[in-house]
Amino acid sequence: MNSTSGNISSVQGDYTECNSKDCQCPPINMTYIKGEVQEIHLNRSNHFRSICTLNTYTKRTTGVVKLINIVPLRLVTRLTPKVGSTFMINAIRYLNLGGNTDTIFSRPRKVIHESHFERMKQMYDPKTISHVGALVFARNPYSRLFSAFIDKIFIVNSMGLAQSVRKFINANKNIDCVLDLEFSDFLKYALYAKTRVIDDHYRPASDLLNVHTICHAQEIFIVKQETFSTDMEFLFTQRGLAPYKRDTLHRMVSCKRALSNVEELTYTSFLEFSNSVHHDCLNWNILTKRLWQSFQIQGYIHERSPLPKFEFSTKHDAQVFLRFVVEARTEHPVSKEQSALQRRKAITNVYNQVHESLKEDIVTQYHEDFELFQYDPSSVI
């Protein structure tokens, strides 16, 4: 397996950490983007094409998929949840419709994900897609599954999914509260349940693509969660995006993305909390502690920064929580190396507690993701 595709962030760092809204964002490193990064993307595309040929996908002339047109980039795509989809919804809105980026990127996550782009979508078959480029999103399956668990179960941002997992697990266990669900419980549900809730957040990314059709695209660009910022900068540069738009999105993806994600998740979570706390086993104290822990897991807050004491009791306290986040990031700034370390520690620790049979079934069910996108099935990071 070629490991070159995963070396972007280890060489240069995937983003410039910004701990305040007014920090300075360094310009795009064009030498790096047009040199090493371009070679990595060529490798990804060539590998994807080789798998298309090896698996005879290119010989299949049937299959239709509805894709979003990103007009300024001359690309079509289908977004993949848990792979920068929130950023991409905002970026597509800005690129296709214009507007103020600060306003677009500061919307609540629930509002953002109500953007369906139906007027921007078009049906493509192997013949019609051969005239356009395709933008594909990928993430290590181990990481994507863990991210879905943290986002939807651990901080209960989807009570429907949490209750569905609990019901499935209770066929063999007795779990009274969704807060008692463990990562292994979620994995069993994701791997074995016949009927699943919002499964596009954790089912194989290749399942969402209609690979048979994508294989016929004129060009294929692969953006990975692990190197998302650098990949997007390469894409903006390679597709000749107008400099002012490229630089604007560079600031959003490379320097403001962490703070933007924190704000979106906080407002969304507090809104969900205000509904969830009506369940007997849930309360604001537990839920806000978990939200803080999730930000530490994701590397947004330093692992040494404790959540200050405060009696959270309403969705309007989101502003207080965000103030605590900003203060923590100011007192203990999180470097890109520290952020990556915290993410690696969290995912390594959680998978150390997962039974080997579950890991083997992940490799089996997500084999096409590992193969198409050059992820090592023997490593969770």
Side-chain angles (χ1 to χ4, degrees):
M1 178 171 296
N2 192 319
S3 61
T4 304
S5 61
N7 285 345
I8 291 177
S9 57
S10 65
V11 174
Q12 292 283 345
D14 189 40
Y15 65 94
T16 300
E17 186 52 57
C18 185
N19 291 293
S20 65
K21 289 186 176 182
D22 57 354
C23 69
Q24 295 298 311
C25 188
I28 298 174
N29 184 339
M30 287 298 182
T31 301
Y32 175 54
I33 292 294
K34 293 181 178 181
E36 185 175 344
V37 175
Q38 182 167 309
E39 287 298 317
I40 289 170
H41 275 267
L42 181 61
N43 172 277
R44 291 181 186 177
S45 177
N46 287 341
H47 176 82
F48 192 100
R49 295 279 193 193
S50 70
I51 300 301
C52 288
T53 302
L54 181 66
N55 292 346
T56 67
Y57 294 151
T58 51
K59 293 185 179 180
R60 305 183 189 184
T61 57
T62 60
V64 178
V65 61
K66 182 181 284 189
L67 301 172
I68 303 169
N69 282 292
I70 311 178
V71 179
L73 297 180
R74 307 181 308 286
L75 293 173
V76 297
T77 191
R78 174 170 179 174
L79 303 183
T80 301
K82 311 311 301 174
V83 190
S85 57
T86 300
F87 171 84
M88 283 307 304
I89 291 171
N90 288 330
I92 291 170
R93 181 183 180 88
Y94 170 69
L95 288 170
N96 283 355
L97 302 177
N100 181 275
T101 51
D102 288 333
T103 300
I104 293 171
F105 281 82
S106 63
R107 296 177 300 161
R109 181 165 290 211
K110 185 175 182 180
V111 174
I112 294 170
H113 285 272
E114 288 175 350
S115 303
H116 298 298
F117 300 128
E118 288 305 319
R119 294 183 179 180
M120 302 179 194
K121 292 181 179 179
Q122 184 177 334
M123 301 300 295
Y124 287 90
D125 60 25
K127 183 177 181 179
T128 54
I129 203 171
S130 67
H131 302 292
V132 298
L135 174 58
V136 176
F137 296 92
R139 184 172 187 170
N140 186 315
Y142 294 116
S143 170
R144 189 158 174 262
L145 285 162
F146 183 49
S147 178
F149 170 76
I150 293 297
D151 184 29
K152 303 303 178 184
I153 307 294
F154 184 73
I155 59 175
V156 202
N157 259 345
S158 175
M159 178 57 73
L161 175 59
Q163 290 178 328
S164 184
V165 173
R166 182 170 66 89
K167 182 179 179 180
F168 176 79
I169 293 300
N170 276 349
N172 299 302
K173 293 173 68 173
N174 185 22
I175 296 177
D176 293 324
C177 179
V178 295
L179 293 177
D180 294 327
L181 289 169
E182 298 176 347
F183 181 51
S184 289
D185 296 326
F186 171 70
L187 285 179
K188 292 173 184 176
Y189 175 85
L191 293 169
Y192 310 132
K194 293 182 179 179
T195 303
R196 298 174 299 192
V197 176
I198 57 171
D199 72 338
D200 60 338
H201 282 67
Y202 48 87
R203 64 190 274 204
S206 52
D207 282 0
L208 304 174
L209 281 179
N210 192 326
V211 177
H212 307 144
T213 302
I214 296 297
C215 282
H216 290 80
Q218 186 179 65
E219 297 176 273
I220 298 173
F221 295 90
I222 299 170
V223 169
K224 296 189 175 186
Q225 175 68 21
E226 296 79 10
T227 53
F228 188 86
S229 299
T230 305
D231 290 342
M232 293 309 301
E233 289 173 352
F234 166 76
L235 196 67
F236 299 150
T237 302
Q238 201 278 342
R239 302 305 283 178
L241 188 63
Y244 77 94
K245 288 187 176 181
R246 181 196 65 205
D247 293 342
T248 297
L249 289 176
H250 159 64
R251 287 192 294 273
M252 300 309 300
V253 73
S254 294
C255 301
K256 295 187 177 182
R257 188 163 161 236
L259 282 174
S260 177
N261 285 346
V262 165
E263 289 183 355
E264 292 162 2
L265 278 168
T266 297
Y267 286 123
T268 298
S269 297
F270 268 72
L271 181 60
E272 293 295 326
F273 289 176
S274 67
N275 298 322
S276 299
V277 292
H278 298 298
H279 295 266
D280 291 342
C281 68
L282 306 183
N283 62 67
W284 282 98
N285 183 48
I286 294 174
L287 293 171
T288 49
K289 280 184 178 179
R290 286 196 167 202
L291 181 60
W292 190 269
Q293 290 171 359
S294 77
F295 288 163
Q296 291 175 317
I297 288 170
Q298 296 173 79
Y300 296 148
I301 301 174
H302 201 287
E303 58 189 0
R304 293 201 307 265
S305 298
L307 173 63
K309 292 183 178 180
F310 185 83
E311 289 298 322
F312 295 98
S313 60
T314 170
K315 63 184 179 182
H316 302 295
D317 288 332
Q319 289 284 358
V320 177
F321 187 90
L322 280 172
R323 189 180 76 238
F324 289 157
V325 171
V326 172
E327 290 172 353
R329 287 169 62 87
T330 301
E331 183 177 354
H332 294 291
V334 186
S335 67
K336 60 191 176 189
E337 294 82 8
Q338 178 64 32
S339 179
L341 174 64
Q342 290 178 203
R343 293 194 298 272
R344 287 196 301 271
K345 284 172 61 176
I347 195 168
T348 300
N349 290 339
V350 76
Y351 272 101
N352 282 341
Q353 302 171 47
V354 173
H355 195 277
E356 286 301 318
S357 62
L358 280 177
K359 295 179 189 176
E360 290 171 2
D361 286 343
I362 291 173
V363 173
T364 299
Q365 292 197 29
Y366 290 77
H367 73 279
E368 198 164 55
D369 280 15
F370 287 112
E371 183 179 48
L372 280 169
F373 304 119
Q374 299 169 279
Y375 288 115
D376 182 357
S378 68
S379 175
V380 301
I381 56 175

